[in-house]
Amino acid sequence: MATAAEQWVLVEMVQALYEAPAYHLILEGILILWIIRLLFSKTYKLQERSDLTAKEKEELIEEWQPEPLVPPITKDHPALNYNIVSGPPSHNIVVNGKECINFASFNFLGLLDNPRVKAAALASLKKYGVGTCGPRGFYGTFDVHLDLEDRLAKFMKTEEAIIYSYGFATIASAIPAYSKRGDIVFVDRAACFAIQKGLQASRSDIKLFKHNDMADLERLLKEQEIEDQKNPRKARVTRRFIVAEGLYMNTGTICPLPELVKLKYKYKARIFLEESLSFGVLGEHGRGVTEHFGINIDDIDLISANMENSLASIGGFCCGRSFVIDHQRLSGQGYCFSASLPPLLAAAAIEALNIMEENPGIFAVLKEKCKRIHKALQGISGLKVVGEALSPAFHLQLEESTRSREKDVKLLQEIVNQCMNRGIALTQARYLEKEEKCLPPPSIRVVVTVEQTEEELEKAASTIKEVAQTVLL
Amino acid sequence: MRPGPGGCCCRRPVGANGCVANGEMRNGYVRSSAAAAAGQIHHVTQNGGLYKRPFNEAFEETPMLVAVLTYVGYGVLTLFGYLRDFLRHWRIEKCHHATEREEQKDFVSLYQDFENFYTRNLYMRIRDNWNRPICSVPGARVDIMERQSHDYNWSFKYTGNTIKGVINMGSYNYLGFARNTGSCQEAAARVLEEYGVGVCSTRQEIGNLDKHEELEKLVASFLGVEAAMAYGMGFATNSMNIPALVSKGCLILSDELNHASLVLGARLSGATIRVFKHNNMQSLEKLLKDAIVYGQPRTRRPWKKILILVEGIYSMEGSIVRLPEVIALKKKYKAYLYLDEAHSIGALGPTGRGVVDYFGLNPEDVDVMMGTFTKSFGASGGYIGGKKELIDYLRTHSHSAVYATSLSPPVVEQIITAMQCIMGKDGTTLGKECIQQLAENTRYFRRRLKEMGFIIYGNEDSPVVPLMLYMPAKIGAFGREMLKRDVGVVVVGFPATPIIESRARFCLSAAHTKEILDTALKEIDEVGDLLQLKYSRHRLVPLLDRPFDETTYEETED
C-alpha cells in the first residue's frame, strides 16, 4: 500500500514539472545552483587573509624598529656626576677634593675607622682571604658566619638570626619568602625602596596606609575583616602581614610600635619590621625600636636590618623565632642564590657588636647629639626639619616648594654644594622618581654620628643656616 | 698524558662506536652510529660557519631503566613521607621541627603544609651534604668543621674537630684567586687599613670612592667595552638592573635554565617574559619571529624592544651558550642581548675575558655584559659593562646605585689586583698561566670522568662538570662517601634540577694540581663503582636533537 501511494506522489511531481512555466524552472535551477555554490565555497574568507605569507612576515620583521636599549641621558642630569670621595668615608672626608666633616654617611657609631674593627677584619683577611667563592649551601658557610649569626641572635635576644651578603637584598628577599600571591600586606606609605621591591617580588595584594596613621591602618584591617567574613574559606588561607620600619629612612620618624602590636593581635596579622636605621641606634643597648618601646621582641614576627649603618660593615640580617627565620635558609632568594658574605666583613661586624656591647653608653651620647643639632636647626627661614629629635638621620625640606621638583632639587643642591665648600659634607636624599610608590619631597639628609663634637655640630648648624639664607632669600 | 689546550687528540671521544665530526664540520657532535650521523649533519653544517672553534657539547640521554628506578625511588620516599607525617600527627614519632608560638596558633598558618613536605621528608634525610661549614681559605684544599647529628639531621652539633685538607671540588674558585697570601691579599690588607671595611652610603649620595672609579675603568678595559659599573652583590646586579632596562610593553626572551637572579630581575621589570628551550636556537628564533610578527598579545601593538637573557656558562648543566648563533639572531631580529657571565668571566677564553673571548667575538656585539667578581676574582659583587650611554643611564637609574651601599674598599682592591694579574698588568705571567692551567685541568678531568663511564653533561671546555647521579638516595650517598674519602663535592637535586636529573657538580680550579685531581678522580672512580654510577653507554645526543616541543609559556606582570 505504502509503495503505491509513494509512486502516486512521484507521478504527480513529474506531472507538475511538465506543467510548470519555463521561467519558473529556470529560476529554480538558478536557485539550486546557487545553493550548491554556497555549500561548497569557503565560509570565512577572513581566516585566509590573516595567515601571513613568509614574505609578509619577513617584511614585518624588516619593518620593526625597536626603541633604543636606554634613552639618552643629558650631560647635566643631576644624578649622573657622582661626588668623588678620596680616601676613607669616615668622620673627616675628602669630597671632590674638599676636606669636610661628614654629615652624610650612616656611620652613626663611628665604627668605620675603628682600629679594633680594622684589626679584626685584617686578622680574618689573613686567615680566609677575601671572597667565599660560593653560596652558603656549597662550601660558602664559614665558621665566622655561624659566629655572627649566633652573636646577632644573642644581641637581639631572639632564637635565630640569618645573614645576607647585601643590605638591600635582606628585606627584599625576606618578604617574598613568606608572603605569596593572594596574601595581603599592609604597608606604610613611607616604606623604603627595599620593602617596595620585596612586596613587588611577592606578588601579594598590597594595601598602603597613611604614614604612621594607625586609624587608617585599622580602617584597612577592618575592611579586610568584613571582606573575610564574606568569604571565610578564602580567609582561612590568606596570610596577613603588616610591614613597617623602625625608624623611617624617608621621614626620620619612629613607628608607633605598641599600637602596631595591639592591631597585630586584634586582626591576626604578622608584623615584619625593617630596622636598618634603628638597629644600633634606638634603645638603651641599641637593640632598636622594640627596646625603645619596651616591647617583647617575640611579639614581632621578623626583624630585618642591614649591617651597613651602625655596624659600618656590609650585608644584612633577619632575626626572630627559628620557626620563622629558618624558612629563609631554603626560601630566601638572596640567601640561597648568592655568594655568602666575605668573612672579613662578617668579622668586622662581630667586632662592631663587641664594641656596642662593651659601651652601651654610646647610644645615649648619640641621642644627645641628635637632640642638640635638631634643636640648633630649628627656625631656619625657608627650611624645615623633618624627623624625630632622636633620629640620627633626618631631613631638611623646603618650607615652600617652588612647585617644580626640578627647581627644588636644584635649590637644595646649591645649599649642599655651598656647605661642602665650607667644610660640611651633606647630601640630598636620592630617589628613583619614577619607581617610588609614594615619592617623598626632595630633601637634604643630615646624619649625626657620635664622632661629631659639639663644636662641629654647632658649626654645621650655623653653616646650614647661613647658606640657606643666602640661597633661599 | 695531558692534552694541551686546543690539541686535537683530546677531542676524540671515548667508546667503541663513537665517531666525531672532523675539522670541516666544526660544530661537531659525538654520535652513536654512522647511520644516525647522516641524519644530523644538517645541524652541523647549518651553524658551522659561525664557530671559529669546535663546539662539543653533549647530553647523554637518561637510560630508561635508571629513569624508572628514579621515579620508583621518589615514590617510595613520598609514601614513607606520608607515613611519617601520619605518625607525627598522632605524636607517635617525635617532632623535631620548630613550631608556631602558642599566642599565634590562631593566625593563618605561615606555611602551606605541602610546601614543607619535601623539606621535611626528603631534604632533611640528606641535609648534611649542604651548608658544610668551613674554617679556611676556600682554595684547592679546605678545612671542614666536623658536625654530628643525633636526631637525623634535624639539628647539628659541632664536635670541635676539623677535617683538614679536604679536596675542594665545590667552590667557584676558577682561577685560584681565593688565597690568604700573595699580592691580592697584601693589597687588600693595605686598603683595609686605610679605608676600613664599610662605606655607609650609596653611590649616588656619598659612597662613591676613588677606588670604585678606578675599578670601573679597569673593568671596562678588561672587557673591551666603553664603560662599566660595579655593584655590591652579583645577584642584585641582575635583579636590580634588568628593571632599569626594560618595562611594560617590552619582551624578555629568557633561557629556561637561567639563574634565579635573572628570573627575579625579569619579573620585577614588568615586561612580558617568554622562555626558550635551553640553548636551543630554533626555539629562540621561533619566539623572536613570532614576537615581531604578532606583536603584543591582546593590544596587538608591536613590542617596544626585545631583550634576550642568556648566561655564559650554565652552572647546573655545564653548558656554554651558543653565543655566535645568539648574536646572529639578535642582529637579524634587532633584539638586545644581556649576557650573564657569572661563571664564565675569567674561566673561559684564551685571555680569560669570558665567553666572548672564547668564541673570538666582538664584545660590542653584546649589548649588556654582566658578570660577577665572586667566582674567578675571589671577591664579591658584580658588574655591568657596555656602551657609554648604557652605563650613564644605569648610573642615574640603577636601583643599586641609588638605594644600596657600595662595594667594600678591600673587596674592590682584591678585584683590582686579581684583574690586573689576569691582564698581565702586574708584570708577571701568573694570570696567563692560571687561565691555561684551568683549561688543561678542565679537559683532563672531563676526559678522565668520561673514560670511567660516568654520564657527564655540558661542554668539554666548561670548568663546571656535572656528573649524573639520578636517584635520590645516591645524592646523599655520593656526598657522604666522597667526604669520607676527603673530597668535598656539591650534590644537587630537585628543585635545582629536574626531578630525575639529580647530579654531583665539580668546579675545577687553576689551584688544583695534577696530584689533587688524580686523587679526586681515584676516589670518584671508587665511589662510582660502589654506588654503580657508571651509567654511560656512550650514546651522546647533541642538544639540538633533544625533543623540541613548541609550547612555550608566558607570564605577564603588572
Side-chain angles (χ1 to χ4, degrees):
Chain A
M1 279 297 284
T3 41
E6 270 169 30
Q7 265 173 359
W8 179 237
V9 171
L10 205 67
V11 170
E12 260 187 337
M13 276 172 76
V14 173
Q15 208 168 13
L17 198 69
Y18 279 118
E19 281 168 14
Y23 75 90
H24 193 259
L25 282 178
I26 293 166
L27 191 73
E28 263 181 22
I30 292 171
L31 277 173
I32 287 167
L33 281 176
W34 194 52
I35 287 168
I36 290 169
R37 190 172 165 266
L38 274 181
L39 280 176
F40 285 91
S41 68
K42 274 189 184 162
T43 338
Y44 296 105
K45 282 209 165 168
L46 271 173
Q47 187 80 45
E48 206 172 34
R49 245 182 286 148
S50 79
D51 275 343
L52 295 167
T53 62
K55 192 167 164 269
E56 281 172 315
K57 283 186 182 175
E58 255 167 54
E59 278 171 7
L60 280 170
I61 290 166
E62 197 58 41
E63 243 172 56
W64 182 65
Q65 276 306 330
E67 284 180 8
L69 180 60
V70 289
I73 291 289
T74 49
K75 282 237 153 48
D76 57 344
H77 190 285
L80 181 60
N81 303 305
Y82 295 174
N83 293 316
I84 296 180
V85 175
S86 332
S90 47
H91 177 51
N92 294 303
I93 187 171
V94 181
V95 191
N96 303 329
K98 290 168 215 143
E99 275 184 46
C100 298
I101 299 157
N102 194 344
F103 279 85
S105 308
F106 297 111
N107 180 19
F108 303 134
L109 303 179
L111 295 174
L112 188 81
D113 53 354
N114 186 297
R116 275 179 64 186
V117 174
K118 281 184 186 176
L122 195 64
S124 167
L125 171 67
K126 288 195 169 142
K127 187 174 176 201
Y128 303 102
V130 174
T132 58
C133 289
R136 288 290 295 266
F138 306 153
Y139 304 98
T141 301
F142 286 58
D143 47 359
V144 210
H145 294 139
L146 300 174
D147 281 353
L148 177 57
E149 285 178 351
D150 210 36
R151 288 296 306 278
L152 283 166
K154 285 217 177 84
F155 180 82
M156 294 297 284
K157 297 189 172 169
T158 54
E159 282 179 14
E160 195 166 337
I162 179 171
I163 53 173
Y164 283 77
S165 54
Y166 203 46
F168 189 95
T170 313
I171 189 73
S173 295
I175 293 175
Y178 304 98
S179 184
K180 309 282 180 194
R181 202 190 277 274
D183 294 338
I184 300 166
V185 186
F186 300 89
V187 60
D188 194 292
R189 290 177 79 91
C192 66
F193 197 68
I195 292 179
Q196 294 172 33
K197 286 291 125 179
L199 291 174
Q200 198 189 337
S202 77
R203 312 189 213 186
S204 312
D205 292 341
I206 295 154
K207 311 232 163 173
L208 294 168
F209 58 89
K210 284 186 201 140
H211 178 48
N212 271 351
D213 185 341
M214 290 303 107
D216 196 40
L217 172 60
E218 185 153 18
R219 177 183 64 83
L220 288 173
L221 286 163
K222 258 199 190 117
E223 267 175 26
Q224 188 53 44
E225 200 178 42
I226 294 165
E227 198 67 29
D228 286 348
Q229 278 159 0
K230 279 187 206 152
N231 195 350
R233 232 177 178 190
K234 194 177 160 211
R236 268 204 297 277
V237 292
T238 308
R239 285 169 282 242
R240 267 142 294 184
F241 300 93
I242 300 170
V243 179
E245 277 179 75
L247 203 54
Y248 281 89
M249 183 73 153
N250 294 352
T251 62
T253 45
I254 299 178
C255 69
L257 195 60
E259 282 83 1
L260 279 174
V261 171
K262 256 181 233 152
L263 290 177
K264 163 188 165 156
Y265 286 108
K266 192 168 170 197
Y267 294 95
K268 302 194 186 352
R270 294 166 198 273
I271 298 183
F272 287 0
L273 262 190
E274 217 300 317
E275 290 222 64
S276 287
L277 280 192
S278 49
F279 170 77
V281 171
L282 292 184
E284 202 184 330
H285 300 90
R287 291 199 188 99
V289 70
T290 44
E291 195 186 24
H292 177 78
F293 284 112
I295 297 253
N296 178 5
I297 201 151
D298 279 344
D299 283 335
I300 311 300
D301 293 84
L302 179 137
I303 287 176
S304 144
N306 70 27
M307 305 189 281
E308 296 163 352
N309 301 340
S310 287
L311 291 178
S313 181
I314 304 277
F317 70 91
C318 285
C319 62
R321 299 187 68 248
S322 295
F323 174 70
V324 179
I325 299 301
D326 210 36
H327 182 67
Q328 286 178 55
R329 298 196 191 273
L330 286 174
S331 305
Q333 284 218 325
Y335 178 88
C336 298
F337 297 107
S338 161
S340 52
L341 186 68
L344 73 97
L345 297 172
I350 293 177
E351 192 58 32
L353 270 179
N354 286 339
I355 295 171
M356 276 165 63
E357 281 180 341
E358 286 163 28
N359 316 295
I362 199 172
F363 305 108
V365 174
L366 182 64
K367 253 164 242 159
E368 208 44 56
K369 293 194 169 169
C370 292
K371 280 183 194 152
R372 179 179 289 272
I373 192 162
H374 205 269
K375 208 168 151 199
L377 282 173
Q378 298 293 334
I380 300 177
S381 49
L383 283 183
K384 62 177 176 201
V385 180
V386 175
E388 234 134 313
L390 42 73
S391 167
F394 57 88
H395 299 257
L396 295 173
Q397 285 174 9
L398 289 176
E399 233 160 28
E400 272 175 59
S401 165
T402 57
R403 299 253 172 88
S404 140
R405 192 171 177 99
E406 210 177 318
K407 271 189 200 157
D408 287 1
V409 167
K410 270 198 181 137
L411 274 178
L412 290 173
Q413 191 55 43
E414 188 53 34
I415 297 177
V416 169
N417 291 346
Q418 290 201 21
C419 284
M420 220 123 48
N421 289 337
R422 298 169 66 166
I424 301 293
L426 290 170
T427 175
Q428 282 198 63
R430 304 278 192 174
Y431 306 101
L432 284 174
E433 295 174 10
K434 285 186 189 135
E435 306 275 330
E436 286 276 354
K437 267 234 155 78
C438 312
L439 182 64
S443 65
I444 297 172
R445 199 191 294 110
V446 183
V447 179
V448 185
T449 74
V450 288
E451 286 179 307
Q452 292 154 1
T453 61
E454 279 176 29
E455 296 82 64
E456 284 166 344
L457 289 168
E458 292 303 327
K459 189 192 163 199
S462 60
T463 310
I464 295 170
K465 217 172 241 180
E466 283 161 32
V467 169
Q469 248 156 15
T470 53
V471 173
L472 297 177
L473 294 180
Chain B
M1 183 206 80
R2 297 176 78 174
C8 212
C9 59
C10 54
R11 219 160 286 125
R12 189 150 295 280
V14 195
N17 55 356
C19 78
V20 74
N22 59 26
E24 280 169 59
M25 294 176 214
R26 287 187 160 143
N27 186 13
Y29 300 107
V30 183
R31 287 182 291 270
S32 56
S33 70
Q40 287 167 7
I41 275 178
H42 67 279
H43 290 313
V44 177
T45 46
Q46 192 180 354
N47 302 315
L50 292 170
Y51 290 86
K52 292 180 181 141
R53 58 185 304 147
F55 188 78
N56 296 338
E57 199 162 287
F59 292 86
E60 189 170 337
E61 248 180 301
T62 309
M64 183 55 83
L65 180 67
V66 176
V68 171
L69 285 174
T70 307
Y71 279 120
V72 170
Y74 277 105
V76 171
L77 276 169
T78 311
L79 280 179
F80 268 89
Y82 279 121
L83 176 69
R84 294 185 64 181
D85 271 1
F86 174 80
L87 294 179
R88 283 185 199 120
H89 185 253
W90 293 102
R91 303 190 187 256
I92 299 169
E93 188 184 318
K94 207 173 142 198
C95 276
H96 296 281
H97 49 87
T99 47
E100 177 79 283
R101 276 175 91 198
E102 276 309 315
E103 294 93 319
Q104 292 183 213
K105 280 261 156 92
D106 53 344
F107 280 45
V108 175
S109 95
L110 191 54
Y111 312 114
Q112 256 145 27
D113 206 42
F114 177 76
E115 204 177 328
N116 289 341
F117 180 85
Y118 184 85
T119 316
R120 205 165 46 229
N121 295 307
L122 280 79
Y123 169 72
M124 207 44 92
R125 288 166 177 266
I126 50 171
R127 188 160 85 118
D128 55 312
N129 290 292
W130 292 279
N131 301 304
R132 286 175 181 158
I134 68 172
C135 48
S136 70
V137 180
R141 285 180 184 272
V142 67
D143 299 341
I144 295 183
M145 291 164 76
E146 195 182 56
R147 53 181 185 175
Q148 283 176 342
S149 178
H150 299 292
D151 50 5
Y152 305 99
N153 288 347
W154 285 95
S155 66
F156 290 107
K157 288 216 164 54
Y158 296 95
T159 60
N161 301 331
T162 52
I163 314 167
K164 291 221 185 269
V166 176
I167 295 177
N168 183 1
M169 300 301 298
S171 295
Y172 308 129
N173 176 24
Y174 297 123
L175 292 180
F177 279 106
R179 260 179 294 191
N180 58 358
T181 52
S183 58
C184 289
Q185 188 271 117
E186 282 159 25
R190 261 198 314 278
V191 170
L192 195 160
E193 284 187 67
E194 192 192 338
Y195 283 79
V197 298
V199 184
C200 295
S201 189
T202 68
R203 292 293 297 278
Q204 284 207 356
E205 288 176 0
I206 205 154
N208 180 45
L209 307 185
D210 45 0
K211 281 281 159 213
H212 296 132
E213 300 273 332
E214 184 188 339
L215 172 68
E216 286 171 355
K217 283 200 187 85
L218 186 70
V219 171
S221 82
F222 177 72
L223 296 172
V225 294
E226 288 174 13
M229 191 165 181
Y231 305 95
M233 182 197 201
F235 184 95
T237 308
N238 280 332
S239 61
M240 294 166 84
N241 284 308
I242 296 173
L245 299 174
V246 284
S247 57
K248 204 165 185 258
C250 302
L251 177 66
I252 290 177
L253 298 180
S254 169
D255 191 291
E256 62 178 341
L257 296 180
N258 272 346
H259 190 251
S261 56
L262 289 164
V263 176
L264 179 64
R267 281 187 183 162
L268 290 178
S269 74
T272 303
I273 305 163
R274 287 181 187 157
V275 178
F276 61 91
K277 297 274 146 196
H278 174 54
N279 229 351
N280 188 318
M281 294 304 119
Q282 293 162 301
S283 174
L284 174 61
E285 181 160 18
K286 185 176 182 302
L287 286 183
L288 275 168
K289 204 182 253 172
D290 286 355
I292 299 173
V293 170
Y294 298 112
Q296 299 185 37
R298 289 175 48 233
T299 62
R300 299 287 163 217
R301 299 283 156 80
W303 295 103
K304 286 185 192 160
K305 53 192 165 192
I306 300 176
L307 185 68
I308 304 171
L309 299 183
V310 291
E311 289 183 46
I313 291 180
Y314 288 86
S315 66
M316 287 296 164
E317 291 326 270
S319 49
I320 297 179
V321 64
R322 300 175 160 274
L323 195 62
E325 288 170 73
V326 176
I327 288 180
L329 285 178
K330 154 213 136 84
K331 283 183 176 165
K332 186 174 169 196
Y333 294 97
K334 297 180 217 116
Y336 299 106
L337 178 59
Y338 186 109
L339 174 65
D340 176 345
E341 295 221 66
H343 286 267
S344 52
I345 193 71
L348 273 187
T351 58
R353 260 72 158 187
V355 68
V356 177
D357 184 29
Y358 174 77
F359 287 114
L361 299 166
N362 185 352
E364 283 183 11
D365 286 337
V366 180
D367 299 278
V368 189
M369 298 264 276
M370 179 271 166
T372 63
F373 301 125
T374 319
K375 284 126 193 164
S376 298
F377 303 99
S380 76
Y383 65 81
I384 281 184
K387 293 234 157 41
K388 185 155 186 310
E389 299 92 78
L390 170 75
I391 301 305
D392 278 354
Y393 184 79
L394 288 178
R395 276 171 85 90
T396 51
H397 289 83
S398 161
H399 298 181
S400 201
V402 187
Y403 296 103
T405 304
S406 21
L407 271 164
S408 160
V411 175
V412 171
E413 191 61 22
Q414 159 87 16
I415 304 165
I416 292 176
T417 335
M419 202 173 270
Q420 279 172 340
C421 181
I422 297 171
M423 294 166 88
K425 279 192 173 178
D426 59 345
T428 67
T429 53
L430 207 77
K432 210 170 165 75
E433 282 160 27
C434 283
I435 294 165
Q436 269 170 14
Q437 185 69 48
L438 176 65
E440 282 175 32
N441 284 355
T442 301
R443 297 225 166 168
Y444 176 67
F445 193 75
R446 279 186 166 268
R447 182 172 59 84
R448 287 286 308 276
L449 284 181
K450 278 191 191 154
E451 277 171 6
M452 289 175 192
F454 292 106
I455 293 187
I456 303 296
Y457 272 10
N459 194 294
E460 65 164 18
D461 286 322
S462 143
V464 180
V465 187
L467 181 153
M468 301 311 288
L469 303 173
Y470 298 111
M471 294 170 205
K474 291 186 183 179
I475 303 174
F478 190 77
R480 288 173 192 159
E481 286 298 326
M482 292 307 289
L483 187 62
K484 251 189 229 168
R485 292 165 170 79
D486 279 351
V487 183
V489 297
V490 166
V491 284
V492 272
F494 182 79
T497 66
I499 193 134
I500 67 158
E501 291 182 11
S502 304
R503 60 197 70 176
R505 187 185 62 184
F506 309 105
C507 289
L508 291 159
S509 164
H512 290 140
T513 60
K514 178 133 195 303
E515 291 70 51
I516 289 182
L517 287 184
D518 281 336
T519 320
L521 283 163
K522 193 186 116 253
E523 307 295 359
I524 295 168
D525 192 27
E526 219 176 281
V527 176
D529 283 329
L530 182 72
L531 303 178
Q532 300 184 350
L533 293 172
K534 297 178 176 175
Y535 300 115
S536 178
R537 295 166 303 172
H538 300 301
R539 267 182 230 145
L540 305 182
V541 184
L543 183 64
L544 281 177
D545 287 350
R546 286 178 133 190
F548 162 55
D549 62 279
E550 299 206 337
T551 52
T552 51
Y553 54 93
E554 182 171 307
E555 76 184 285
T556 318
E557 293 296 312
D558 42 19

